[in-house]
Amino acid sequence: MPPVAPRPVAVLGLLLLLAAAAACTTAPDHGPRGPAAGQAAGPTATAAHGESPFWVDPDSEAARQVAAWEATGRYADAQVLRRIADRPVALWGRPGDPGPGIRRARAAAKASGRTLVLAAHHIPPRGCGQPPAGGAADARAYRDWIDAFADAIGDARALVVLEPHAVAHAVDGCVRAEHRAERYRLLSEAVDRLKRNRHTKVYLDAGGPTWIRDPADLAGPLRRAGLDRADGFALNVSGFQPDAAVRAYGAKLSRAVEGRHFVVDTGRNGEGPLPGDRGRVSCNPPGRALGTPPTDRTGDPLVDAYLWVKRPGESDGTCRGGPAAGAWWPEQALGLARRARGAS
């Protein structure tokens, strides 16, 4: 009997089998690759849109570090660092002209339908001479700066944490008595200027649980600083206190200021603080971890959002071998990300 010609179905099956075999022999994927030019990495979309209403900067220090490590083959470390790069962190206004950076972020945030998170930190004298020193030269310079800051936001949806540590420093005596009235006046004016923007929410910074021990001591100063016209107050900025302790402190402070809501900086509080005096253990403490990812779904009616205000991976100063305050420190960032609880 002459041989039977192969049926079309059999030929198709053979071709599919050969294609599958060829696919199995291709070079293995060594890890995630950077996004295409002009695009955010895939996990960013999930983090920004699925879990948080806040904008993720695709050109952050963490995102650039991910790309650099992938380019040199550090794929595992790059994947871990995406736990920072793919999350929204606050943009801090530049000390000179804050406008260009904020306008760039505003355009991207508006295009993606996200809310821009910002920190304004330029009040004179910022930090009371403690590092990093700085701030506007005088009251007039600060008014000009906050006006430029607010102008740059425009009609975008934005959440501003106003002047981290400024009120607490006035209460703890760091700000000299003759300068306190001016500080409260400048803060109050800043609240009014920012609230002229229709879609801007403003949260006055109020320190944290280990700073001003009795939250009632903050009630009067916060009101003098414009809290009644702001959207609430902020706690734990740059701090390490765990969520439960901050929420309990915030609830007490809220009762003292007629039920005002608050936001919490959770960027580095996943392992809580190091034991010891706050002044000695708050500068680049080892063994810390990322905390609750940024979200407005907090499960607490008083807490409007968990935010990463202090950018995880930026140094607190030259203590413990760190670079200058505010400088990007990739190995510290990697440690924070590795120790994050429940991270995928």
Side-chain angles (χ1 to χ4, degrees):
M1 175 179 291
V4 178
R7 294 182 179 180
V9 173
V11 173
L12 180 59
L14 179 60
L15 291 174
L16 291 173
L17 181 62
L18 291 173
C24 291
T25 60
T26 56
D29 184 1
H30 293 287
R33 297 295 187 267
Q39 294 180 349
T44 300
T46 300
H49 295 272
E51 302 172 14
S52 165
F54 307 118
W55 176 67
V56 176
D57 184 357
D59 193 40
S60 67
E61 292 279 10
R64 290 200 295 269
Q65 190 70 65
V66 166
W69 280 349
E70 288 176 349
T72 57
R74 287 181 65 174
Y75 301 113
D77 288 344
Q79 182 68 4
V80 172
L81 196 61
R82 285 185 180 275
R83 296 169 187 168
I84 297 175
D86 293 344
R87 300 287 185 183
V89 296
L91 174 66
W92 293 59
R94 290 185 178 276
D97 181 2
I102 294 175
R103 284 192 291 269
R104 176 190 68 83
R106 178 193 69 189
K110 289 184 70 174
S112 65
R114 302 288 98 186
T115 296
L116 187 59
V117 179
L118 299 162
H121 188 48
H122 199 51
I123 196 140
R126 191 183 71 190
C128 310
Q130 301 176 13
D138 53 33
R140 180 176 179 178
Y142 182 72
R143 291 184 179 104
D144 290 343
W145 186 88
I146 206 72
D147 197 47
F149 188 104
D151 279 345
I153 296 171
D155 64 352
R157 290 203 306 269
L159 187 160
V160 177
V161 174
L162 181 58
E163 295 300 341
H165 308 161
V167 172
H169 274 319
V171 174
D172 72 5
C174 178
V175 177
R176 290 185 300 188
E178 61 268 28
H179 296 315
R180 289 174 201 160
E182 179 183 77
R183 170 159 293 200
Y184 293 137
R185 184 168 59 252
L186 289 175
L187 288 169
S188 182
E189 292 174 3
V191 169
D192 289 339
R193 176 60 191 90
L194 289 162
K195 290 302 296 180
R196 279 164 47 191
N197 291 354
R198 189 170 52 161
H199 300 301
T200 297
K201 292 186 175 181
V202 180
Y203 292 83
L204 270 165
D205 189 74
T210 61
W211 194 333
I212 307 300
R213 294 289 182 174
D214 186 352
D217 292 340
L218 287 161
L222 283 170
R223 287 198 177 96
R224 293 182 67 189
L227 179 64
D228 292 340
R229 301 181 308 283
D231 293 272
F233 56 92
L235 293 174
N236 204 45
V237 173
S238 302
F240 301 89
Q241 293 299 309
D243 292 352
V246 180
R247 287 198 307 269
Y249 184 87
K252 292 179 181 178
L253 178 53
S254 178
R255 287 194 292 272
V257 290
E258 300 179 353
R260 303 311 298 272
H261 290 196
F262 58 97
V263 296
V264 179
D265 185 353
T266 58
R268 305 186 296 174
N269 72 346
E271 288 292 337
L274 276 181
D277 176 74
R278 183 182 67 86
R280 290 182 298 170
V281 302
S282 61
C283 187
N284 297 326
R288 302 308 92 195
L290 300 175
T292 303
T295 181
D296 61 350
R297 300 179 181 180
T298 67
D300 187 320
L302 289 176
V303 182
D304 287 345
Y306 294 125
L307 305 170
W308 288 1
V309 183
K310 168 70 175 182
R311 301 165 72 88
E314 288 189 354
S315 176
D316 295 316
T318 54
C319 55
R320 296 190 170 95
W328 173 248
W329 190 2
E331 297 307 323
Q332 186 200 64
L334 185 61
L336 288 168
R338 277 180 174 157
R339 289 183 288 269
R341 297 185 181 181
S344 57

